[in-house]
Amino acid sequence: MTQTVDQLYRQAGEEFAPALARLARAVERDAEKARDLEQEMHCALWTSLARFKGDCALKTWVYRVAHNVAADHVSKATRGPKKVPLEEIDALPAAGNPESDAAEALVLQQVAQLIRALPPVDAQTIVLWLEGESAAEIAEITGLSSGAVATRVHRIKALLAEYFDQPKDKGAKA
């Protein structure tokens, strides 16, 4: 390999730093902890690039490292909402006021809240899908099969669609 660790890190930073920041924010609700997690991802990436031999795409390597750091972060967390399997989620975050000027921001917050309520592998899968990665690329990064990735993405999208299609009326159903 002809690139140095410095060159590889610079290239990875230019291409993937925004995605790492989004992943950190998707995994960690607290903004300060999300920034710390993002820094951990960058440190782990820097350290790991000495072992990068080009056997896979740089993007795959970066996402694998970030995924592992995020998974470690989640497993070390001792507080926060209990994670439940996707099939067991029956109560979703409360809908915002659609008449609010901040409706789009509220929707994004609700999506982020829902993603944070998912088990780590489901959250990682949907975040990578939202980043535009294919099922095959997500499978390579997460270790799932391509079919499992497609199934998880489909279920999460259906969950989101069901949530946002439900009429929201100040707490009472007629």
Side-chain angles (χ1 to χ4, degrees):
M1 176 169 38
T2 60
Q3 287 185 305
T4 67
V5 171
D6 289 339
Q7 292 168 327
L8 283 170
Y9 180 74
R10 204 170 299 116
Q11 179 185 352
E14 288 172 4
E15 292 181 36
F16 307 110
L20 295 181
R22 287 187 294 269
L23 173 59
R25 288 191 309 269
V27 170
E28 180 58 63
R29 167 177 280 155
D30 181 89
E32 195 64 34
K33 289 180 181 179
R35 282 189 292 275
D36 289 346
L37 177 58
E38 183 182 354
Q39 287 179 351
E40 288 178 43
M41 288 175 181
H42 280 278
C43 289
L45 179 60
W46 170 261
T47 304
S48 75
L49 286 172
R51 297 184 311 275
F52 181 71
K53 304 295 180 213
D55 295 336
C56 63
L58 180 60
K59 175 172 70 172
T60 301
W61 185 272
V62 169
Y63 280 133
R64 277 184 190 161
V65 170
H67 169 77
N68 289 338
V69 171
D72 286 346
H73 175 79
V74 169
S75 69
K76 290 177 185 174
T78 57
R79 55 184 177 244
K82 181 184 174 225
K83 306 297 183 195
V84 295
L86 181 60
E87 295 80 14
E88 293 179 22
I89 293 178
D90 53 7
L92 297 175
N97 180 353
E99 297 156 0
S100 168
D101 291 338
E104 185 174 335
L106 290 173
V107 167
L108 291 175
Q109 287 175 352
Q110 291 168 350
V111 169
Q113 184 177 359
L114 179 59
I115 289 172
R116 281 190 295 272
L118 296 172
V121 71
D122 288 338
Q124 179 72 17
T125 300
I126 198 65
V127 168
L128 288 169
W129 181 81
L130 290 169
E131 288 292 332
E133 301 303 319
S134 70
E137 291 168 325
I138 296 169
E140 188 174 353
I141 292 164
T142 61
L144 298 170
S145 71
S146 227
V149 168
T151 299
R152 287 172 193 266
V153 168
H154 176 75
R155 287 179 181 168
I156 295 167
K157 285 173 34 180
L159 182 68
L160 289 169
E162 178 183 323
Y163 173 70
F164 287 105
D165 284 345
Q166 293 177 359
K168 309 297 186 240
D169 57 4
K170 307 277 183 190
K173 287 191 175 182

mmCIF file of all heavy atoms in Angstrom, residues 1-15 46 49 58:
data_model
loop_
_atom_site.group_PDB
_atom_site.id
_atom_site.type_symbol
_atom_site.label_atom_id
_atom_site.label_comp_id
_atom_site.label_asym_id
_atom_site.label_seq_id
_atom_site.Cartn_x
_atom_site.Cartn_y
_atom_site.Cartn_z
ATOM 1 N N MET A 1 0.867 -1.173 0.000
ATOM 2 C CA MET A 1 0.000 0.000 0.000
ATOM 3 C C MET A 1 0.906 1.225 0.000
ATOM 4 O O MET A 1 1.884 1.287 0.724
ATOM 5 C CB MET A 1 -0.910 -0.013 1.237
ATOM 6 C CG MET A 1 -1.740 1.222 1.320
ATOM 7 S SD MET A 1 -3.059 1.197 2.542
ATOM 8 C CE MET A 1 -2.381 0.346 3.901
ATOM 9 N N THR A 2 0.570 2.205 -0.802
ATOM 10 C CA THR A 2 1.438 3.361 -0.951
ATOM 11 C C THR A 2 1.019 4.540 -0.085
ATOM 12 O O THR A 2 1.815 5.437 0.126
ATOM 13 C CB THR A 2 1.472 3.809 -2.427
ATOM 14 O OG1 THR A 2 0.151 4.147 -2.842
ATOM 15 C CG2 THR A 2 2.034 2.711 -3.313
ATOM 16 N N GLN A 3 -0.198 4.556 0.415
ATOM 17 C CA GLN A 3 -0.656 5.671 1.242
ATOM 18 C C GLN A 3 -0.209 5.487 2.685
ATOM 19 O O GLN A 3 -0.245 4.389 3.223
ATOM 20 C CB GLN A 3 -2.184 5.795 1.199
ATOM 21 C CG GLN A 3 -2.710 6.343 -0.105
ATOM 22 C CD GLN A 3 -4.202 6.557 -0.035
ATOM 23 O OE1 GLN A 3 -4.936 5.635 0.287
ATOM 24 N NE2 GLN A 3 -4.634 7.773 -0.327
ATOM 25 N N THR A 4 0.168 6.589 3.318
ATOM 26 C CA THR A 4 0.527 6.549 4.732
ATOM 27 C C THR A 4 -0.742 6.618 5.571
ATOM 28 O O THR A 4 -1.825 6.933 5.066
ATOM 29 C CB THR A 4 1.435 7.735 5.095
ATOM 30 O OG1 THR A 4 0.669 8.939 4.979
ATOM 31 C CG2 THR A 4 2.669 7.783 4.224
ATOM 32 N N VAL A 5 -0.586 6.364 6.867
ATOM 33 C CA VAL A 5 -1.721 6.465 7.789
ATOM 34 C C VAL A 5 -2.276 7.882 7.758
ATOM 35 O O VAL A 5 -3.492 8.082 7.746
ATOM 36 C CB VAL A 5 -1.303 6.049 9.220
ATOM 37 C CG1 VAL A 5 -2.402 6.366 10.215
ATOM 38 C CG2 VAL A 5 -0.960 4.569 9.260
ATOM 39 N N ASP A 6 -1.375 8.874 7.709
ATOM 40 C CA ASP A 6 -1.818 10.273 7.648
ATOM 41 C C ASP A 6 -2.696 10.533 6.425
ATOM 42 O O ASP A 6 -3.749 11.157 6.528
ATOM 43 C CB ASP A 6 -0.626 11.237 7.609
ATOM 44 C CG ASP A 6 0.121 11.321 8.923
ATOM 45 O OD1 ASP A 6 -0.470 10.969 9.958
ATOM 46 O OD2 ASP A 6 1.290 11.744 8.900
ATOM 47 N N GLN A 7 -2.248 10.055 5.292
ATOM 48 C CA GLN A 7 -3.000 10.261 4.047
ATOM 49 C C GLN A 7 -4.347 9.536 4.098
ATOM 50 O O GLN A 7 -5.369 10.080 3.688
ATOM 51 C CB GLN A 7 -2.183 9.783 2.846
ATOM 52 C CG GLN A 7 -0.961 10.628 2.571
ATOM 53 C CD GLN A 7 -0.027 9.971 1.565
ATOM 54 O OE1 GLN A 7 0.089 8.739 1.504
ATOM 55 N NE2 GLN A 7 0.651 10.801 0.793
ATOM 56 N N LEU A 8 -4.338 8.305 4.587
ATOM 57 C CA LEU A 8 -5.587 7.544 4.689
ATOM 58 C C LEU A 8 -6.554 8.225 5.648
ATOM 59 O O LEU A 8 -7.745 8.337 5.361
ATOM 60 C CB LEU A 8 -5.317 6.115 5.166
ATOM 61 C CG LEU A 8 -4.764 5.151 4.131
ATOM 62 C CD1 LEU A 8 -4.307 3.861 4.801
ATOM 63 C CD2 LEU A 8 -5.812 4.867 3.071
ATOM 64 N N TYR A 9 -6.045 8.683 6.786
ATOM 65 C CA TYR A 9 -6.917 9.341 7.757
ATOM 66 C C TYR A 9 -7.484 10.634 7.174
ATOM 67 O O TYR A 9 -8.667 10.938 7.351
ATOM 68 C CB TYR A 9 -6.183 9.612 9.069
ATOM 69 C CG TYR A 9 -7.091 10.281 10.067
ATOM 70 C CD1 TYR A 9 -8.081 9.545 10.710
ATOM 71 C CD2 TYR A 9 -6.998 11.642 10.326
ATOM 72 C CE1 TYR A 9 -8.949 10.151 11.602
ATOM 73 C CE2 TYR A 9 -7.859 12.252 11.219
ATOM 74 C CZ TYR A 9 -8.822 11.505 11.860
ATOM 75 O OH TYR A 9 -9.690 12.106 12.726
ATOM 76 N N ARG A 10 -6.648 11.392 6.497
ATOM 77 C CA ARG A 10 -7.113 12.633 5.877
ATOM 78 C C ARG A 10 -8.223 12.335 4.854
ATOM 79 O O ARG A 10 -9.253 12.999 4.829
ATOM 80 C CB ARG A 10 -5.936 13.360 5.212
ATOM 81 C CG ARG A 10 -6.158 14.840 5.062
ATOM 82 C CD ARG A 10 -4.901 15.601 4.629
ATOM 83 N NE ARG A 10 -3.815 15.467 5.588
ATOM 84 C CZ ARG A 10 -2.645 14.870 5.322
ATOM 85 N NH1 ARG A 10 -2.403 14.365 4.134
ATOM 86 N NH2 ARG A 10 -1.707 14.777 6.236
ATOM 87 N N GLN A 11 -8.009 11.320 4.032
ATOM 88 C CA GLN A 11 -9.017 10.926 3.035
ATOM 89 C C GLN A 11 -10.304 10.467 3.728
ATOM 90 O O GLN A 11 -11.405 10.878 3.335
ATOM 91 C CB GLN A 11 -8.480 9.808 2.151
ATOM 92 C CG GLN A 11 -9.471 9.317 1.113
ATOM 93 C CD GLN A 11 -8.963 8.128 0.318
ATOM 94 O OE1 GLN A 11 -7.802 7.735 0.420
ATOM 95 N NE2 GLN A 11 -9.835 7.549 -0.486
ATOM 96 N N ALA A 12 -10.171 9.634 4.750
ATOM 97 C CA ALA A 12 -11.351 9.136 5.472
ATOM 98 C C ALA A 12 -12.091 10.290 6.127
ATOM 99 O O ALA A 12 -13.326 10.339 6.108
ATOM 100 C CB ALA A 12 -10.929 8.103 6.518
ATOM 101 N N GLY A 13 -11.350 11.227 6.707
ATOM 102 C CA GLY A 13 -11.977 12.380 7.348
ATOM 103 C C GLY A 13 -12.747 13.233 6.360
ATOM 104 O O GLY A 13 -13.873 13.662 6.638
ATOM 105 N N GLU A 14 -12.145 13.479 5.210
ATOM 106 C CA GLU A 14 -12.818 14.297 4.193
ATOM 107 C C GLU A 14 -14.100 13.630 3.698
ATOM 108 O O GLU A 14 -15.098 14.293 3.477
ATOM 109 C CB GLU A 14 -11.877 14.540 3.012
ATOM 110 C CG GLU A 14 -10.736 15.498 3.318
ATOM 111 C CD GLU A 14 -9.698 15.580 2.211
ATOM 112 O OE1 GLU A 14 -9.890 14.949 1.143
ATOM 113 O OE2 GLU A 14 -8.685 16.269 2.418
ATOM 114 N N GLU A 15 -14.053 12.325 3.533
ATOM 115 C CA GLU A 15 -15.191 11.614 2.958
ATOM 116 C C GLU A 15 -16.251 11.216 3.990
ATOM 117 O O GLU A 15 -17.440 11.196 3.667
ATOM 118 C CB GLU A 15 -14.718 10.350 2.235
ATOM 119 C CG GLU A 15 -13.915 10.652 0.989
ATOM 120 C CD GLU A 15 -13.471 9.387 0.272
ATOM 121 O OE1 GLU A 15 -14.245 8.399 0.263
ATOM 122 O OE2 GLU A 15 -12.350 9.391 -0.265
ATOM 123 N N TRP A 46 -7.983 6.279 13.434
ATOM 124 C CA TRP A 46 -6.562 6.619 13.277
ATOM 125 C C TRP A 46 -5.684 5.418 13.648
ATOM 126 O O TRP A 46 -4.782 5.040 12.906
ATOM 127 C CB TRP A 46 -6.222 7.830 14.144
ATOM 128 C CG TRP A 46 -4.754 8.099 14.222
ATOM 129 C CD1 TRP A 46 -3.911 7.737 15.223
ATOM 130 C CD2 TRP A 46 -3.955 8.754 13.245
ATOM 131 N NE1 TRP A 46 -2.639 8.141 14.945
ATOM 132 C CE2 TRP A 46 -2.632 8.770 13.728
ATOM 133 C CE3 TRP A 46 -4.224 9.337 12.013
ATOM 134 C CZ2 TRP A 46 -1.590 9.337 13.026
ATOM 135 C CZ3 TRP A 46 -3.176 9.908 11.316
ATOM 136 C CH2 TRP A 46 -1.886 9.907 11.811
ATOM 137 N N LEU A 49 -5.938 2.379 11.130
ATOM 138 C CA LEU A 49 -5.464 2.532 9.754
ATOM 139 C C LEU A 49 -4.063 1.972 9.540
ATOM 140 O O LEU A 49 -3.689 1.663 8.402
ATOM 141 C CB LEU A 49 -5.550 3.994 9.319
ATOM 142 C CG LEU A 49 -6.973 4.475 9.036
ATOM 143 C CD1 LEU A 49 -7.007 5.976 8.804
ATOM 144 C CD2 LEU A 49 -7.585 3.729 7.865
ATOM 145 N N LEU A 58 -12.100 1.521 1.680
ATOM 146 C CA LEU A 58 -11.849 2.389 2.827
ATOM 147 C C LEU A 58 -13.163 2.700 3.546
ATOM 148 O O LEU A 58 -13.221 2.733 4.773
ATOM 149 C CB LEU A 58 -11.148 3.682 2.392
ATOM 150 C CG LEU A 58 -10.825 4.668 3.510
ATOM 151 C CD1 LEU A 58 -9.896 4.048 4.546
ATOM 152 C CD2 LEU A 58 -10.207 5.935 2.919
#
